């Protein structure tokens, strides 16, 4: 294929700024998808993605575009996720492109992830096409947002495109700009093959489907492909492009984006970031890869029904086939039995995996509160990574505890900067930088413990700024902190799955909030049940679940028997979903109650 | 027999009943239909003979024209008496609202064959009566009992409500004292905890925060007040919410709780019958039944629909569930545990042809260690102090 007619681009934006809608409209206007088969957000294939209106897995699509210059171009659009958890995936898709369409909502202006994604794109040397979206909304301020982009990118005002992805207004100018401004790929199809694996998924019949961007050389069906990281060889059984369905082709040349199948059994054998070459025309050096995605958030996942442990393992195995960033290891809890400690990229990633396990695999799960990975230096100078608070060594064996810090960027109208600073300070954040990003909006950068971000930070940020603040963060470093483990005792016995690690200065207050919350969540038993929060042997908070006084079907007459039986069945079902801990029943929600905050 | 009419819907009521002002036009056709249904039910009534009790409930049966109610009573009494095997007096109860009865009217009902009157009193506190939406006053409630005595009723029950908005242990004690101070207090008291049923005006008002009702703990206290006052006055608690002076337990309700057979007539009325009887109207399906089983069935809840079906010779049945022997036995455990006497698991197994006691007894022994039940041989009963938390045991009766 003539590389001068290829344009590889992605769309980057802050969440909800209309990236997926723009992608949909481009597909529709270029005829890649006809209007009839158009379901909203075609590229978001998972039900969950549609429901939540977010993109999680990036996916490429090839579009034939007849430009007004009379030529036909091949546009490869690589959609990107828009949530901070998946920044890593964004950087993967950027590496496969030469250009990026930067979408900014005309009602919101530049936000934290606009900037984070823009910087990533600039780092990758991409040509930026600035677009102001939703210009048709009554509260849009397109000219102000245009000015922000002119200021940010140093472009001329008329280079900023005015668009309504929803109505299609101005989308043609975006396609035109992609053709004119995004440089065509530079590689030579005759040279040694170098193709980057930027994503992959697993197909039960074809094995791993590696999504590749060919930089140099070419690959044909029947070629003997080589993974440069481990030297493994595979006969190529299928090549193809996404239109957006999988459409087989006989070969892929320099500049092209598509997929490769070669009966590869495990994702790990064709890992994302690896370079594919071939035996017949082998490259000497691989392309620059990626740092592997490191799970930042861990939680325990346990089946409600203990006999479903094997089902849970199989479900996790299957999810892992398409999402290499999930980590899981068996663990045992006194309170919850056998389960897994699972690692995720962030809270949203965790919730999505949990929901998929319950929805697609029919599992009922108890999920413990998320935790970061603490680093402990013991008195014998051993370094331990603690991803489960229950495993924290006793105090007398700990020399130092370190916790992960992130650098968090908050964009907020200047009227609310005080609220943001208060919140960040309450959460142990230290100000790194504060400046006006635009005449009315401030960009505040804080170094803050990741654990505090997990602790309801985003919701609080949104509520205190009336939804105007946006947040992005990236891992910074481990820092020593005065942390303690707070144990929760129910009826005098510690419940390991409820333990959590907290800064000493917050420990009593959070202990009080949690036992108060647990008092409301734990159903009343035949006897009074004390709930205590303790640091070591010292009880810092206590509540009592009073014994049950009334649990009766007061009236039951002849016309009522079936209904009353159903009420009892419902009650029994509710009990079945609880965990029996000694003689006390603990409901699922209790294990997430650790996330309760001390406010409101 | 269910009478789906009343003077006015009470704020907490979700029973099938319409005020006469709205639905009064339906009364004549209802009466015609229910009499037809009674005629057609004759084979089933013979099947469950001997008949031990008849109950006309509602709604408010006494809001019907007196002559019509009299004629219903007469027909039912005749039908019950004609069923084979009748011995001694059949308990015949009519529910009555204090605002809808007179001494003369009650005498006529008594003469027609009614021997037990269940008076819906709920409270003697004017404020509680008002917020519950009752149409009668406290004075009317007390004189209703006097009138019933004068009319010759020797078996009177009053219904009380526990947990009404604003009710306190003191106001409840005053209500109880009001009855107990009568020359001849009622033989029977039903004291039901208020249930906030979805869609009722009271439930809406409570969920909007306009009205508050005593919480579960407060209601438990109210219940204890009733148990204490009535036991001091010589009443025995023979079921969770029912109290009687010696020998005056409600035969009809005990029938429900002991897994007895009954034929329900009228809109929304329920029946409980062996499947051989329950299919009598529906042809010969019963003959091919491989296993003995039981049926709980119910009539359509719409009075109009009920009338239309009966008049066009269709069955007014709206739904049914068939219970195999084990399910029937489990129901009997669930229901029987409501009574102070409890259940004899061997007896139930023998009646139903099941072996439930083998799996239930171990569970019950566990409940015994929690002091929720008392066990004597194969007989299990809820421990008296655990009556108000009996659901903790009842769930064990489920499959």
């Amino acid at each position: 294929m003539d590389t001068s007619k290829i344009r590889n681009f992605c769309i980057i934006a802050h969440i909800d700024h209309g990236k997926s809608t723009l992608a949909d409209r481009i597909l529709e206007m270029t005829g890649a998808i006809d209007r009839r088969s158009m379901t909203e957000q075609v590229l978001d294939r998972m039900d969950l993605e549609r429901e939540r209106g977010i993109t999680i897995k990036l996916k490429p699509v090839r579009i034939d575009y007849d430009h007004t210059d009379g030529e036909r171009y091949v546009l490869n659009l690589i959609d990107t996720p828009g949530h901070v958890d998946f920044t890593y995936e964004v950087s993967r898709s950027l590496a496969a492109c030469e250009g990026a369409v930067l979408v900014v909502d005309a009602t919101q202006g530049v936000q934290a992830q606009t900037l984070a994604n823009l910087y990533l794109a600039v780092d990758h040397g991409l040509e930026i096409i600035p677009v102001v979206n939703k210009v048709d909304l009554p509260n849009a301020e397109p000219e102000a947002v245009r000015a922000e982009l002119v200021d940010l990118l140093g472009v001329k005002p008329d280079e900023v495109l005015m668009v309504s992805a929803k109505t299609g207004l101005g989308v043609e100018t975006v396609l035109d700009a992609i053709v004119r401004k995004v440089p065509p790929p530079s590689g030579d199809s005759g040279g040694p093959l170098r193709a980057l694996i930027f994503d992959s998924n697993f197909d039960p019949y074809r094995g791993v489907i590696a999504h590749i961007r060919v930089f140099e050389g070419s690959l044909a069906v029947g070629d003997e492909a080589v993974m440069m990281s481990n030297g493994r060889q595979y006969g190529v059984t299928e090549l193809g492009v996404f239109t957006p369905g999988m459409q087989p082709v006989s070969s892929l040349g320099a500049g092209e984006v598509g997929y490769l199948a070669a009966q590869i059994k495990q994702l790990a054998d064709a890992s994302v970031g690896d370079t594919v070459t071939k035996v017949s025309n082998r490259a000497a050096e691989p392309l620059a890869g990626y740092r592997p995605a490191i799970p930042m958030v861990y939680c325990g996942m346990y089946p409600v029904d203990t006999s479903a442990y094997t089902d849970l393992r199989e479900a996790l195995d299957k999810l892992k086939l398409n999402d290499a960033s999930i980590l899981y290891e068996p663990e045992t809890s006194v309170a919850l039995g056998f389960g897994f400690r699972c690692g995720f990229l962030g809270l949203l990633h965790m919730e999505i995996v949990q929901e998929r396990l319950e929805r697609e695999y029919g599992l009922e799960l108890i999920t413990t509160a998320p935790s970061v990975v603490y680093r402990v230096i013991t008195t014998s100078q051993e370094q331990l990574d603690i991803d489960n608070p229950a495993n924290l060594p006793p105090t007398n064996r700990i020399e130092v505890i370190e916790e992960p810090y992130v650098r968090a960027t908050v964009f907020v109208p200047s009227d609310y900067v005080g609220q943001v600073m208060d919140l960040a300070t309450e959460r142990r954040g230290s100000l790194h930088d504060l400046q006006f990003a635009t005449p009315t909006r401030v960009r505040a950068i804080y170094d803050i413990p990741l654990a505090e971000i997990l602790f309801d930070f985003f919701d609080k940020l949104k509520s205190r700024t009336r939804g105007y603040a946006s947040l992005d963060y990236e891992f910074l470093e481990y820092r020593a902190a005065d942390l303690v483990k707070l144990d929760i005792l129910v009826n005098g016995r510690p419940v390991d799955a409820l333990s959590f690690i907290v800064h000493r200065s917050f420990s009593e207050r959070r202990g009080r909030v949690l036992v108060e919350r647990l008092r409301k969540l734990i159903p009343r038993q035949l006897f009074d049940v004390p709930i205590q929060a303790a640091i070591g042997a010292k009880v810092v908070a206590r509540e009592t679940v009073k014994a049950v006084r009334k649990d009766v079907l007061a009236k039951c007459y002849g016309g009522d028997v079936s209904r009353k039986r159903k009420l009892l069945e419902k009650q029994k079902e509710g009990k079945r979903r609880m965990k029996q801990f000694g003689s006390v029943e603990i409901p699922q929600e209790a294990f997430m109650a650790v996330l309760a905050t001390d406010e409101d | 027999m269910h009478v789906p009419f009343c003077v006015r819907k009470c704020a907490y009521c979700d029973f099938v009943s319409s005020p006469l002002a709205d639905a009064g036009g339906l009364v004549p056709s209802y009466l015609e239909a229910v009499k037809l249904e009674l005629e057609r039910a004759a084979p089933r009534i013979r099947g469950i003979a001997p008949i031990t009790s008849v109950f006309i409930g509602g709604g408010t049966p006494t809001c019907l024209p007196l002559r019509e109610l009299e004629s219903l009573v007469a027909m039912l009494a005749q039908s019950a008496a004609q069923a084979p095997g009748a011995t001694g007096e059949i308990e015949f109860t009519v529910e009555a609202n204090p605002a809808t009865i007179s001494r003369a009217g009650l005498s006529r009902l008594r003469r027609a064959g009614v021997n037990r009157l269940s008076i819906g009193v709920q409270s003697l506190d004017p404020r509680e009566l008002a917020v519950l939406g009752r149409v009668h006053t406290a004075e009317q409630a007390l004189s209703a009992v006097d009138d019933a005595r004068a009319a010759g009723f020797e078996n009177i029950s009053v219904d009380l409500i526990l947990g009404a908005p604003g009710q306190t242990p003191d106001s409840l004690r005053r209500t109880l004292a009001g009855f107990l101070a009568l020359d001849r207090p009622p033989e029977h008291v039903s004291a039901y905890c208020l249930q906030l049923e979805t869609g009722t005006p009271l439930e809406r008002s409570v969920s909007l925060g306009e009205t508050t009702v005593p919480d579960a703990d407060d209601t438990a206290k109210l219940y204890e007040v009733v148990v204490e006052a009535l036991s001091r006055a010589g009443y025995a608690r023979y079921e969770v919410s029912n109290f009687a002076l010696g020998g005056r337990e409600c035969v009809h309700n005990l029938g429900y709780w002991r897994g007895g057979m009954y034929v329900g007539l009228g809109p929304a009325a329920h029946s409980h019958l062996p499947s051989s009887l329950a299919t009598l109207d529906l042809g010969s399906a019963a003959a091919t039944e491989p296993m003995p089983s039981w049926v709980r069935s119910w009539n359509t809840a719409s009075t109009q629909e009920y009338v239309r079906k009966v008049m066009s010779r269709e069955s007014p049945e709206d739904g049914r569930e068939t219970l195999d022997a084990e399910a029937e036995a489990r129901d009997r455990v669930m229901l029987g545990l409501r009574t102070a006497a409890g259940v004899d698991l061997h007896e139930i197994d023998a009646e139903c042809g099941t072996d439930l006691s083998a799996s239930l007894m171990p569970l019950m022994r566990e409940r015994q260690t929690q002091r929720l039940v008392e066990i004597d041989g194969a007989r299990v009963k809820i421990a008296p102090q655990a009556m108000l938390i009996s659901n903790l045991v009842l769930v064990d009766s489920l499959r």
Side-chain angles (χ1 to χ4, degrees):
Chain A
M1 178 176 289
D2 178 2
T3 53
S4 71
K5 298 289 183 289
I6 298 176
R7 300 292 183 273
N8 296 318
F9 73 103
C10 58
I11 307 176
I12 54 178
H14 188 73
I15 192 161
D16 285 339
H17 279 200
K19 174 172 46 66
S20 295
T21 312
L22 180 59
D24 288 353
R25 209 55 62 229
I26 287 175
L27 293 185
E28 195 184 287
M29 291 178 66
T30 55
I33 299 250
D34 67 63
R35 203 172 261 279
R36 255 178 317 151
S37 61
M38 187 84 200
T39 45
E40 245 180 85
Q41 299 180 11
V42 172
L43 295 181
D44 294 348
R45 278 171 297 197
M46 275 195 271
D47 283 352
L48 265 175
E49 294 187 345
R50 283 225 178 89
E51 272 171 37
R52 293 183 172 227
I54 52 168
T55 308
I56 300 161
K57 293 291 283 181
L58 52 107
K59 54 227 30 152
V61 58
R62 173 162 161 162
I63 302 161
D64 288 327
Y65 173 59
D66 294 317
H67 190 243
T68 45
D69 67 8
E71 297 285 340
R72 171 166 283 205
Y73 290 85
V74 166
L75 311 184
N76 288 308
L77 160 61
I78 296 170
D79 202 11
T80 58
H83 190 275
V84 58
D85 279 8
F86 303 101
T87 302
Y88 164 77
E89 298 214 3
V90 175
S91 80
R92 277 157 44 179
S93 62
L94 295 179
C97 301
E98 279 84 27
V101 175
L102 176 69
V103 177
V104 181
D105 188 324
T107 67
Q108 296 193 5
V110 172
Q111 296 292 335
Q113 284 158 253
T114 312
L115 219 58
N117 289 333
L118 172 63
Y119 291 155
L120 281 174
V122 170
D123 283 350
H124 282 84
L126 303 194
E127 178 68 31
I128 307 295
I129 298 171
V131 168
V132 178
N133 188 24
K134 310 192 193 180
V135 297
D136 58 322
L137 289 187
N139 55 338
E141 294 184 36
E143 288 311 317
V145 177
R146 186 203 297 261
E148 285 181 19
L149 284 167
V150 166
D151 196 39
L152 187 65
L153 299 167
V155 294
K156 292 195 210 81
D158 63 355
E159 288 182 84
V160 179
L161 306 176
M162 292 295 167
V163 163
S164 166
K166 202 165 132 227
T167 65
L169 172 80
V171 174
E172 197 64 47
T173 65
V174 177
L175 286 164
D176 178 62
I178 290 166
V179 168
R180 284 188 302 100
K181 291 175 71 182
V182 175
S186 57
D188 171 11
S189 289
L193 172 68
R194 293 209 295 177
L196 178 71
I197 302 178
F198 62 88
D199 196 13
S200 57
N201 64 290
F202 190 82
D203 179 291
Y205 303 105
R206 290 178 276 203
V208 175
I209 307 290
H211 301 191
I212 56 171
R213 154 74 200 267
V214 180
F215 279 87
E216 288 144 30
S218 69
L219 186 62
V221 174
D223 280 351
E224 203 52 35
V226 183
M227 301 297 153
M228 293 193 75
S229 64
N230 55 23
R232 291 222 173 102
Q233 296 185 11
Y234 301 92
V236 175
T237 54
E238 185 177 328
L239 292 171
V241 294
F242 297 95
T243 62
M246 291 169 79
Q247 170 145 16
V249 296
S250 56
S251 68
L252 288 172
E256 289 193 87
V257 174
Y259 67 87
L260 156 91
Q263 292 300 330
I264 304 168
K265 296 282 179 285
Q266 290 182 49
L267 285 189
D269 293 333
S271 53
V272 170
D274 203 348
T275 301
V276 183
T277 187
K278 60 182 179 182
V279 173
S280 58
N281 201 349
R282 204 169 189 139
E285 291 291 324
L287 298 157
Y290 313 103
R291 62 182 169 90
I294 300 161
M296 306 276 268
V297 177
Y298 282 77
C299 74
M301 285 191 172
Y302 293 83
V304 171
D305 175 0
T306 47
S307 65
Y309 174 77
T310 323
D311 297 341
L312 175 56
R313 172 191 290 280
E314 281 167 12
L316 283 167
D317 287 346
K318 280 189 189 136
L319 283 187
K320 173 93 179 172
L321 285 178
N322 283 314
D323 184 354
S325 55
I326 309 173
L327 289 189
Y328 52 97
E329 275 178 17
E331 81 171 1
T332 315
S333 150
V334 179
L336 300 176
F338 294 105
F340 293 90
R341 174 90 354 200
C342 304
F344 305 97
L345 299 174
L347 280 183
L348 178 70
H349 187 216
M350 179 181 100
E351 281 170 32
I352 286 163
V353 170
Q354 185 188 347
E355 248 181 271
R356 291 189 67 191
L357 288 169
E358 297 198 328
R359 205 185 285 197
E360 294 168 29
Y361 297 90
L363 294 163
E364 289 178 66
L365 298 177
I366 290 180
T367 309
T368 65
S371 166
V372 300
V373 180
Y374 294 94
R375 186 167 286 170
V376 171
I377 312 293
T378 65
T379 44
S380 51
Q381 299 309 307
E382 196 185 352
Q383 180 184 312
L384 304 172
D385 284 344
I386 304 296
D387 59 20
N388 179 353
N391 298 338
L392 193 74
T395 323
N396 57 11
R397 280 194 53 219
I398 297 175
E399 190 156 303
V400 186
I401 307 182
E402 296 177 343
E403 65 178 330
Y405 266 67
V406 293
R407 182 151 285 171
T409 304
V410 178
F411 256 71
V412 67
S414 45
D415 296 351
Y416 294 102
V417 75
Q419 282 87 329
V420 172
M421 294 178 81
D422 287 347
L423 178 64
T425 311
E426 285 163 29
R427 297 303 176 82
R428 301 189 282 135
S430 58
L431 186 63
H432 175 74
D433 189 19
L434 181 77
Q435 45 181 274
F436 277 92
T438 74
T440 56
R441 276 213 306 282
V442 166
R443 187 181 66 172
I445 300 181
Y446 275 87
D447 295 348
I448 189 167
L450 176 59
E452 298 294 334
I453 300 252
L454 298 189
F455 198 72
D456 209 17
F457 183 84
F458 189 58
D459 285 346
K460 284 286 173 293
L461 181 69
K462 281 285 183 190
S463 70
R464 289 204 197 174
T465 62
R466 301 189 180 208
Y468 284 118
S470 64
L471 170 73
D472 190 80
Y473 60 83
E474 57 182 350
F475 173 73
L476 183 63
E477 64 192 1
Y478 271 86
R479 288 186 188 172
D482 187 9
L483 301 169
V484 292
K485 183 171 72 149
L486 201 65
D487 290 316
I488 301 297
L489 289 78
V490 173
N491 207 21
R493 287 171 56 192
V495 180
D496 56 356
L498 287 173
S499 293
F500 64 104
I501 292 170
V502 60
H503 195 265
R504 189 182 301 277
S505 62
F506 298 161
S507 57
E508 290 195 19
R509 201 173 63 211
R510 287 202 184 153
R512 270 200 307 278
V513 171
L514 179 57
V515 294
E516 167 65 21
R517 180 114 169 219
L518 288 171
R519 181 180 64 77
K520 292 180 188 152
L521 284 172
I522 293 177
R524 295 165 69 170
Q525 318 280 326
L526 282 172
F527 39 86
D528 286 359
V529 176
I531 300 171
Q532 297 156 297
I535 298 168
K538 186 184 162 214
V539 172
V540 297
R542 180 193 158 113
E543 291 276 345
T544 304
V545 178
K546 293 300 233 176
V548 60
R549 294 281 310 276
K550 175 171 174 279
D551 185 0
V552 71
L553 300 169
K555 188 172 189 180
C556 180
Y557 64 103
D560 211 17
V561 177
S562 312
R563 194 171 83 117
K564 290 291 151 74
R565 189 197 312 116
K566 288 201 176 82
L567 286 175
L568 285 171
E569 274 163 0
K570 216 168 136 195
Q571 185 166 348
K572 189 172 183 174
E573 174 62 21
K575 277 180 187 290
R576 205 181 60 73
R577 288 178 63 93
M578 291 187 202
K579 276 286 168 186
Q580 191 74 34
F581 182 72
S583 47
V584 181
E585 287 152 336
I586 303 182
Q588 282 161 282
E589 307 88 281
F591 296 96
M592 286 297 283
V594 179
L595 289 187
T597 51
D598 39 1
E599 300 153 49
D600 49 57
Chain B
M1 178 176 288
H2 182 72
V3 177
F5 305 103
C6 53
V7 175
R8 188 175 82 194
K9 282 288 264 188
C10 299
Y12 56 90
C13 172
D14 78 332
F15 275 74
V16 173
S17 181
S18 310
L20 284 175
D22 306 338
L26 274 172
V27 170
S29 46
Y30 159 77
L31 290 166
E32 204 175 327
V34 82
K35 286 176 185 172
L36 261 179
E37 196 194 9
L38 172 60
E39 271 172 39
R40 288 187 205 141
R44 274 170 289 158
I45 293 173
R46 272 197 304 278
I48 66 170
I51 302 297
T52 50
S53 64
V54 178
F55 197 101
I56 306 182
T60 303
T62 48
C63 79
L64 290 175
L66 185 57
R67 199 171 332 131
E68 302 295 351
L69 182 55
E70 254 182 318
S71 123
L72 278 186
V73 167
M75 283 185 74
L76 280 165
Q78 191 186 18
S79 167
Q82 278 173 358
T87 51
E89 201 189 35
I90 296 170
E91 179 190 276
F92 196 132
T93 308
V94 169
E95 285 185 339
N97 182 301
T100 61
I101 48 181
S102 65
R103 191 169 295 194
L106 289 173
S107 299
R108 283 167 62 182
L109 287 180
R110 179 73 191 86
R111 279 198 299 277
V114 180
N115 54 26
R116 184 172 183 272
L117 204 63
S118 169
I119 306 174
V121 166
Q122 315 311 348
S123 169
L124 294 180
D125 182 297
R127 271 171 310 181
E128 291 166 21
L129 287 172
V131 68
L132 290 172
R134 300 292 294 177
V135 294
H136 59 85
T137 62
E139 293 69 33
Q140 279 176 306
L142 286 171
S143 56
V145 179
D146 280 343
D147 291 342
R149 288 293 183 217
F153 282 96
E154 299 290 314
N155 193 359
I156 297 173
S157 175
V158 297
D159 277 0
L160 299 181
I161 221 159
L162 305 181
Q167 195 175 33
T168 62
D170 280 344
S171 76
L172 179 58
R173 280 191 201 99
R174 283 193 295 273
T175 290
L176 288 162
F179 287 107
L180 297 176
L182 291 170
D183 284 347
R184 285 181 63 199
E187 283 73 21
H188 187 279
V189 177
S190 299
Y192 296 117
C193 300
L194 175 71
Q195 196 68 41
L196 289 176
E197 301 291 354
T198 320
T200 57
L202 185 60
E203 185 262 346
R204 272 197 300 275
S205 172
V206 169
S207 68
L208 289 173
E210 299 164 355
T211 310
T212 49
V213 290
D215 66 14
D217 287 358
D218 292 335
T219 308
K221 261 182 230 136
L222 295 170
Y223 180 81
E224 279 155 17
V225 166
V226 168
V227 171
E228 196 197 297
L230 291 180
S231 89
R232 211 171 331 120
Y235 294 78
R237 177 178 61 184
Y238 70 100
E239 192 258 3
V240 178
S241 309
N242 284 279
F243 305 81
L245 295 176
R248 289 303 193 178
E249 295 84 7
C250 177
V251 172
H252 193 80
N253 279 336
L254 277 174
Y256 292 146
W257 300 320
R258 289 176 179 162
M261 296 178 277
Y262 45 93
V263 174
L265 303 169
H270 286 233
S271 300
H272 176 234
L273 297 167
S275 51
S276 56
L277 286 177
T279 45
L280 264 185
D281 290 349
L282 309 170
S284 56
T288 58
E289 189 93 20
M291 287 280 287
S293 63
W294 290 76
V295 172
R296 292 191 183 279
S297 62
W298 47 92
N299 283 349
T300 171
S302 149
T303 303
Q304 239 164 15
E305 176 80 356
Y306 169 80
V307 167
R308 190 189 65 70
K309 289 205 156 162
V310 175
M311 292 308 187
S312 53
R313 305 207 140 267
E314 288 174 51
S315 160
E317 183 178 310
D318 187 46
R320 58 167 55 196
E321 56 174 3
T322 304
L323 307 171
D324 61 18
E326 186 190 327
E328 172 69 19
R330 287 182 182 279
D331 268 9
R332 289 188 188 196
V333 174
M334 171 183 85
L335 293 165
L337 283 173
R338 303 185 62 81
T339 62
V343 291
D344 186 311
L345 293 177
H346 286 166
E347 221 167 76
I348 288 176
D349 276 340
E351 286 164 5
C352 299
T354 49
D355 189 20
L356 257 195
S357 46
S359 57
L360 267 187
M361 222 14 151
L363 291 176
M364 291 300 118
R365 296 217 185 283
E366 216 171 294
R367 299 303 180 200
Q368 190 181 28
T369 64
Q370 297 172 311
R371 305 182 46 192
L372 288 170
V373 302
E374 293 173 358
I375 300 179
D376 179 9
R379 182 160 286 277
V380 181
K381 59 182 186 188
I382 303 288
Q385 77 283 357
M387 216 39 147
L388 208 54
I389 49 173
S390 55
N391 281 1
L392 299 174
V393 182
L394 262 49
V395 289
D396 292 338
S397 70
L398 303 172
R399 209 184 284 257

